[in-house]
Amino acid sequence: MKIIKKISDFLFMLFFLVFIPGIVITWTDFKIKTELPINDFAGFVVDSHQNIYIGDSFYSIIQKYDRTGNFTESFKVKGTSGKPFTIGVDTKDNIIVTLQTGREVVIYPLYRGETITERSYKKRDHNKFFITRNHEKYGNLGTRFPAIWKLSGTKEKVVEQSLFLQLLSFPSMMGVVLTAVFLKFIAFITEKWRKLRSET
């Protein structure tokens, strides 16, 4: 029974070690220089250099990957604080974010926060497919976790997060919490049952 309690305590600790930094990243201007697990997919776009940008509403960030799928950088989406947003790309490779309020702002390569009046960019809602200006087709073929594939020419997977990052994602962590609660419940019931048996 002590082993079950220790496992459940470890699972709770693991959850908070992932969840609390997520809150810090979401609510502050904390600089992110490492790849984070994608928790709340907010769509993806591809620029003219075949860089792939994936939005994550949970952390309020956009993560950038090069044409071979290597993570290069992340940048904050200001003004969302964990609320949903969608992303698009214009003809100059500016990444455009549409906030929940409907306001559209340029956020990359340099955050200017300016409102977009023209609509000359490819707006996507949690898109499944994306076609670049060079007519190259990309698709998110992942089910639970995003997996970006290049579909033009030879079909190849470009971006998919490692199993480790997938396990650290919020949906996986909720599974960890439910498992921890279940183990604590089993330990509690077993202890009560033993006490009742010892009293009789």
Side-chain angles (χ1 to χ4, degrees), residues 91-105:
T91 55
K92 297 178 182 176
D93 286 341
N94 291 310
I95 302 303
I96 312 297
V97 167
T98 303
L99 306 176
Q100 195 177 34
T101 59
R103 182 170 173 249
E104 295 157 353
V105 294

Side-chain angles (χ1 to χ4, degrees), residues 2 6 9 20 22-23 37 47 64 69-70 86 92 97 117 128 132 155 165-166 182:
K2 287 182 180 178
K6 284 184 179 180
D9 289 342
I20 290 172
I23 292 172
D47 68 18
K64 180 182 176 183
N70 296 311
T86 57
K92 297 178 182 176
V97 167
T117 52
K128 187 85 175 161
T132 68
K155 185 177 172 183
L165 284 174
Q166 290 178 5
F182 177 73

Side-chain angles (χ1 to χ4, degrees), residues 142-160:
T143 50
R144 186 170 176 188
F145 301 101
I148 311 302
W149 287 69
K150 185 175 181 181
L151 303 174
S152 301
T154 306
K155 185 177 172 183
E156 61 176 320
K157 189 188 298 180
V158 184
V159 177
E160 184 175 47

Side-chain angles (χ1 to χ4, degrees), residues 1-19:
M1 209 41 56
K2 287 182 180 178
I3 293 173
I4 291 177
K5 283 183 179 178
K6 284 184 179 180
I7 291 172
S8 63
D9 289 342
F10 170 76
L11 292 175
F12 270 119
M13 183 184 72
L14 180 65
F15 171 76
F16 285 107
L17 284 174
V18 172
F19 187 68

Side-chain angles (χ1 to χ4, degrees), residues 20-144:
I20 290 172
I23 292 172
V24 171
I25 290 166
T26 301
W27 293 94
T28 66
D29 253 346
F30 188 74
K31 300 290 179 190
I32 309 131
K33 299 195 177 188
T34 187
E35 184 178 12
L36 295 172
I38 297 168
N39 290 287
D40 189 6
F41 180 66
F44 79 99
V45 294
V46 184
D47 68 18
S48 62
H49 302 289
Q50 297 181 335
N51 295 307
I52 297 168
Y53 302 82
I54 300 177
D56 184 346
S57 296
F58 180 79
Y59 287 125
S60 298
I61 61 167
I62 292 174
Q63 303 198 108
K64 180 182 176 183
Y65 301 83
D66 66 20
R67 63 192 303 162
T68 58
N70 296 311
F71 170 80
T72 58
E73 63 179 314
S74 300
F75 42 93
K76 288 283 291 177
V77 179
K78 297 179 183 178
T80 58
S81 302
K83 294 174 185 166
F85 63 86
T86 57
I87 61 176
V89 60
D90 68 11
T91 55
K92 297 178 182 176
D93 286 341
N94 291 310
I95 302 303
I96 312 297
V97 167
T98 303
L99 306 176
Q100 195 177 34
T101 59
R103 182 170 173 249
E104 295 157 353
V105 294
V106 176
I107 71 149
Y108 185 85
L110 179 66
Y111 184 86
R112 299 196 292 276
E114 62 189 40
T115 300
I116 306 301
T117 52
E118 59 169 317
R119 304 185 72 82
S120 61
Y121 65 92
K122 297 179 179 182
K123 183 179 176 184
R124 292 286 185 273
D125 297 326
H126 305 282
N127 51 312
K128 187 85 175 161
F129 299 101
F130 188 88
I131 298 174
T132 68
R133 288 194 316 246
N134 302 328
H135 307 291
E136 294 167 320
K137 188 174 182 180
Y138 289 79
N140 173 23
L141 304 184
T143 50
R144 186 170 176 188

